[in-house]
Amino acid sequence: MGDVPARLRGLAGSITAIVALLMPVFVWAQDAALPDTAAPAQGDNTSWSVAYDIDIAMAADRTAVRTQTTRVTVLSEGGVQGVGQQTLGVIEGMQTLEILEAYTQKKDGHKIAVDPATIITRDAASGLNAMYIRDVKLRTVIFPDLAVGDTTVLTSKLTVRSGLFPDNFMYHILFSRSVAVADSTVRVAAPVDMPLKVGVYGPGLDHQVTNEANTTRHTIVYHSQPRIAAELGATSPFDRDPRVLISTFQSYEDQGRSYWQAAAPQARVTPEIQTLAETITKGLDDRRAQAVAIDRWVKTNIRYVAISLGSSRVIPNPAESVFKNKYGDCKDHATLMSALLAAKGIASEHVLISAGPSYTLPEPPTMGYINHVILYLPEFGIYDDPTVSAAAFGVLAAGTYDKPVVHASEKGAYRARTPAAASDHHSSISRTQMTVAADGTVTGETEQTATGIFAVTARMLAAGFQNAGLESSAEKVLRGYNTPGKGRFEIGSVSALDQSYVIKGRFTLSEPLKLTSGMPVVIPYGLPVSRRPGNFLFGTRHAGRTQPFSCYAGRQVEEIAVDFADGVPLPKQIKGGRTVKTDVFSYVSDFRLEGRTLKISREFVSRVPGQVCAPEVENAVAGPLKEVAMSLSFRMNFPKEGSKNKPSDAPSAEGGVAPRRVAPSAKAGEIEQPTVD
């Protein structure tokens, strides 16, 4: 609970699982990805398999016609429901979609045509989102009489009259290894003098190029590959799986310049924008303070509308319009903030980035690796995301650290990389003080201080607590720790956006501690709201990883002090703790009894150099992280009723298991645990 989401802002999502499969292929320059959901490994049964046959015919004016046949074969009962209806997307202002043929092909070969009257067309978005993609429609095809062994066949023709970027064409398709993709073919025909680039990456792809008179033909054949299960926390399949990228852009710099040509006029400093900037920064002479004030104003006054860059068009709305409406997507937030900064003479650059788990920018440029816009302020050397309303100035969403990016401004376009997360910038410190009364009743309070990405999560949680109720939220957190009780959170303003954020909570547990039963007792954690030390920064464990995974640098501290009232039996004497050290993280815990107060401290520090960890890192940290988990499940032994607490009865500080002695020269990854007196 309390970890930082991979995406703090919603990007345009799929309507159903099969939409994620088929819709992107029909919407030019959107994700052309097959579903990247967890799938059985090779040898496991699968519900369906899919094959593609795609023809792209380019015209000299860079319009295009794409004809595609998608064949989905149902292999088990679960696949019938999953592929029985399929949805295609079309941007009506830029494209025309025709369904040429749709039918169910039975196992015996005969065909049952889809009744055209059953094909449903509807808007792709609702609410505020629809304001930005009003001409994006979804067309749903429902296949009749579908059973195991049958195949759905859908042939469509998409005529592209204009691209997302003026006078340019982009397309990409991913053959996800977590999906059963049969042999498929992509054919591209373009005028021989068109500067069209085709990039082919990953196993199983054969690319042939031929020239015929005035036409260049690309034929890409995908040979079915063994399935590989999608691994928890893995980086994007767009960074490793077979994929085809097609673009008239010669470089990402070209793409950045094209974006800026469309976006720059929208960031014009008008009298209204100038007046707003002066109002926001009134009384502030320091230029950084002015930038902080503008950032805070945009984040707290402009609602975010979740439209992924490129889902319809890449041109933002004018800054004045965004200010008037008080909402906008990522491009609009960046445009308004850059206009306000410009009004104060502070330069900024728009930064094209992936908000998902993709960490590469392979050539040629498409929208497969760019779906979000943030800002860079060169005067301060700071990246800032005005759409992350819970982040302090200069704090990014977790998923946008250590990313390749494209900068675009009046000075031109260039590639760079956002900074990697640093452990001293992202911290969560939980301090709990509790008392065990004579009858075993536990009362206490917790104060949690967070910075960086942890502060982003803390503010988001605090906003949720406001909505759900401060008392009911505290009760829910206590139940989550298996220590039910009553409580109440005390939260600060979620719009203050200082570098740190504090949440306090008071609690009384419903069940008294049973200290004389002779059974080990779990010492309560209190009311922390962020993940406990060792959790989140390395994601979820996945044994035998073969794929890179997302990881973060940060510091997590947990301090617990338990005062035992007079007459309450004390835990058996404890000295020592646990130390775990590896090349990428360290963990230190300490447990000691001072008078009638038990003091517990735990500190976990991840020092990964970047946000992509190789599969080998999983093997290196899995064992040590188990040791950390053991420390988190600490249990205390108390003397049985009527017995005496003799020093000779002293157990280990961890779970009552006697510690092993380790030489001071223990290698990275081994456990260094002091002995218990």
Side-chain angles (χ1 to χ4, degrees):
M1 185 186 72
D3 56 328
V4 179
R7 297 184 181 184
L8 293 174
R9 63 203 64 76
L11 300 178
S14 58
I15 306 302
T16 64
I18 200 64
V19 175
L21 166 65
L22 296 177
M23 173 185 169
V25 178
F26 289 85
V27 181
W28 292 97
Q30 279 192 285
D31 264 353
L34 300 173
D36 189 31
T37 53
Q42 182 184 11
D44 286 352
N45 292 329
T46 179
S47 295
W48 47 266
S49 66
V50 61
Y52 294 107
D53 190 272
I54 301 172
D55 276 290
I56 300 173
M58 298 288 304
D61 61 359
R62 300 192 181 184
T63 59
V65 175
R66 201 247 36 246
T67 304
Q68 173 171 319
T69 297
T70 302
R71 302 175 63 90
V72 183
T73 301
V74 180
L75 303 177
S76 69
E77 290 88 347
V80 175
Q81 185 66 31
V83 306
Q85 64 182 51
Q86 299 168 18
T87 300
L88 324 179
V90 57
I91 306 173
E92 291 185 333
M94 303 163 64
Q95 307 163 347
T96 300
L97 175 65
E98 302 172 65
I99 296 177
L100 303 181
E101 193 172 33
Y103 59 87
T104 300
Q105 182 172 313
K106 304 297 290 183
K107 286 190 293 185
D108 61 9
H110 82 275
K111 304 174 183 178
I112 304 175
V114 170
D115 182 354
T118 66
I119 298 176
I120 303 168
T121 300
R122 65 186 186 279
D123 291 337
S126 59
L128 284 178
N129 289 11
M131 294 296 296
Y132 289 88
I133 53 175
R134 282 175 287 187
D135 59 351
V136 179
K137 306 297 181 181
L138 298 180
R139 197 161 297 167
T140 300
V141 180
I142 303 174
F143 291 88
D145 193 13
L146 188 62
V148 175
D150 297 345
T151 298
T152 66
V153 180
L154 179 58
T155 301
S156 65
K157 177 182 177 182
L158 188 72
T159 301
V160 181
R161 300 187 301 275
S162 62
L164 297 173
F165 288 85
D167 302 321
N168 278 283
F169 171 86
M170 296 176 294
Y171 180 71
H172 59 266
I173 184 169
L174 173 75
F175 298 96
S176 175
R177 294 289 298 275
S178 67
V179 175
V181 183
D183 291 356
S184 300
T185 303
V186 179
R187 289 173 291 271
V188 183
V192 70
D193 58 351
M194 177 177 289
L196 187 71
K197 299 181 72 172
V198 178
V200 176
Y201 300 89
L205 289 170
D206 179 31
H207 180 199
Q208 301 293 328
V209 183
T210 59
N211 289 312
E212 302 173 2
N214 296 322
T215 302
T216 298
R217 299 187 184 278
H218 298 262
T219 302
I220 302 105
V221 177
Y222 173 72
H223 303 283
S224 183
Q225 298 293 296
R227 296 178 65 203
I228 298 176
E231 297 174 357
L232 295 172
T235 56
S236 173
F238 266 87
D239 289 347
R240 61 180 182 274
D241 284 358
R243 56 206 183 275
V244 178
L245 311 177
I246 305 168
S247 180
T248 55
F249 281 121
Q250 299 303 292
S251 68
Y252 280 97
E253 288 79 1
D254 286 346
Q255 188 182 43
R257 286 188 288 269
S258 180
Y259 166 81
W260 184 249
Q261 184 179 6
Q266 310 299 76
R268 187 171 59 91
V269 179
T270 64
E272 186 176 18
I273 293 297
Q274 186 70 54
T275 299
L276 176 61
E278 297 300 335
T279 301
I280 294 171
T281 61
K282 185 177 181 179
L284 298 175
D285 296 324
D286 181 79
R287 291 171 63 80
R288 183 186 174 96
Q290 292 174 348
V292 171
I294 289 171
D295 169 70
R296 183 172 299 184
W297 188 92
V298 172
K299 288 176 177 176
T300 56
N301 288 277
I302 308 299
R303 284 177 294 159
Y304 178 68
V305 179
I307 302 298
S308 176
L309 177 68
S311 61
S312 180
R313 294 172 177 83
V314 298
I315 302 175
N317 287 287
E320 276 193 1
S321 174
V322 181
F323 167 52
K324 177 181 178 181
N325 293 327
K326 297 296 193 298
Y327 62 77
D329 64 4
C330 61
K331 306 182 294 294
D332 298 327
H333 278 71
T335 297
L336 175 58
M337 182 169 169
S338 61
L340 291 169
L341 290 169
K344 299 301 297 181
I346 301 173
S348 63
E349 300 171 359
H350 286 214
V351 178
L352 311 182
I353 189 173
S354 168
S358 179
Y359 290 83
T360 63
L361 280 180
E363 300 281 359
T366 69
M367 298 304 290
Y369 298 84
I370 290 175
N371 57 16
H372 189 49
V373 181
I374 63 176
L375 290 180
Y376 178 70
L377 283 64
E379 181 174 342
F380 313 115
I382 284 178
Y383 287 91
D384 186 72
D385 188 341
T387 69
V388 187
S389 60
F393 179 64
V395 175
L396 303 177
T400 51
Y401 282 96
D402 191 28
K403 286 287 184 72
V405 296
V406 180
H407 288 231
S409 71
E410 60 184 8
K411 295 182 178 180
Y414 64 95
R415 276 180 273 191
R417 197 172 191 94
T418 58
S423 57
D424 56 346
H425 293 165
H426 309 279
S427 65
S428 173
I429 301 174
S430 171
R431 293 187 172 94
T432 297
Q433 180 75 44
M434 68 182 80
T435 299
V436 180
D439 61 356
T441 300
V442 179
T443 58
E445 58 183 6
T446 297
E447 178 177 291
Q448 184 133 13
T449 303
T451 65
I453 57 178
F454 289 105
V456 173
T457 299
R459 289 189 184 93
M460 294 174 66
L461 289 170
F465 295 162
Q466 285 181 320
N467 292 332
L470 300 178
E471 293 181 355
S472 59
S473 296
E475 293 178 19
K476 183 177 180 179
V477 171
L478 290 171
R479 287 196 303 272
Y481 287 127
N482 200 29
T483 54
K486 300 290 185 180
R488 180 181 175 85
F489 284 117
E490 298 176 16
I491 62 175
S493 170
V494 296
S495 61
L497 300 186
D498 296 325
Q499 291 297 319
S500 64
Y501 187 73
V502 177
I503 295 179
K504 298 179 181 179
R506 297 180 179 274
F507 60 90
T508 300
L509 302 188
S510 301
E511 300 178 5
L513 288 184
K514 298 178 181 179
L515 305 180
T516 59
S517 65
M519 300 296 291
V521 176
V522 176
I523 299 301
Y525 315 130
L527 203 52
V529 298
S530 185
R531 287 290 182 101
R532 301 188 65 207
N535 293 325
F536 164 64
L537 292 172
F538 284 90
T540 304
R541 303 282 55 77
H542 187 104
R545 276 193 188 276
T546 61
Q547 301 164 2
F549 63 99
S550 299
C551 54
Y552 304 98
R555 177 172 176 257
Q556 297 168 290
V557 175
E558 180 179 83
E559 297 178 354
I560 300 173
V562 186
D563 294 325
F564 295 93
D566 291 339
V568 174
L570 296 176
K572 296 182 179 182
Q573 183 64 40
I574 293 177
K575 293 182 180 180
R578 187 181 296 263
T579 299
V580 183
K581 293 183 179 179
T582 76
D583 291 338
V584 291
F585 81 79
S586 63
Y587 173 78
V588 177
S589 64
D590 185 64
F591 306 80
R592 64 184 61 191
L593 191 61
E594 297 181 359
R596 300 194 66 81
T597 300
L598 171 65
K599 294 186 176 181
I600 304 171
S601 65
R602 300 180 174 96
E603 180 183 55
F604 184 95
V605 181
S606 168
R607 297 185 178 87
V608 292
Q611 274 50 85
V612 178
C613 281
E616 295 76 18
V617 174
E618 174 70 31
N619 299 330
V621 303
L625 284 173
K626 287 183 180 179
E627 298 287 348
V628 174
M630 289 175 60
S631 177
L632 296 181
S633 60
F634 165 70
R635 291 170 180 259
M636 181 66 66
N637 287 335
F638 288 80
K640 291 183 179 180
E641 188 172 6
S643 66
K644 296 182 179 180
N645 185 11
K646 298 179 181 179
S648 60
D649 292 335
S652 158
E654 307 286 353
V657 179
R660 55 188 174 91
R661 298 176 182 269
V662 179
S665 59
K667 297 179 181 179
E670 294 182 341
I671 308 303
E672 299 177 350
Q673 182 170 309
T675 59
V676 176
D677 295 336

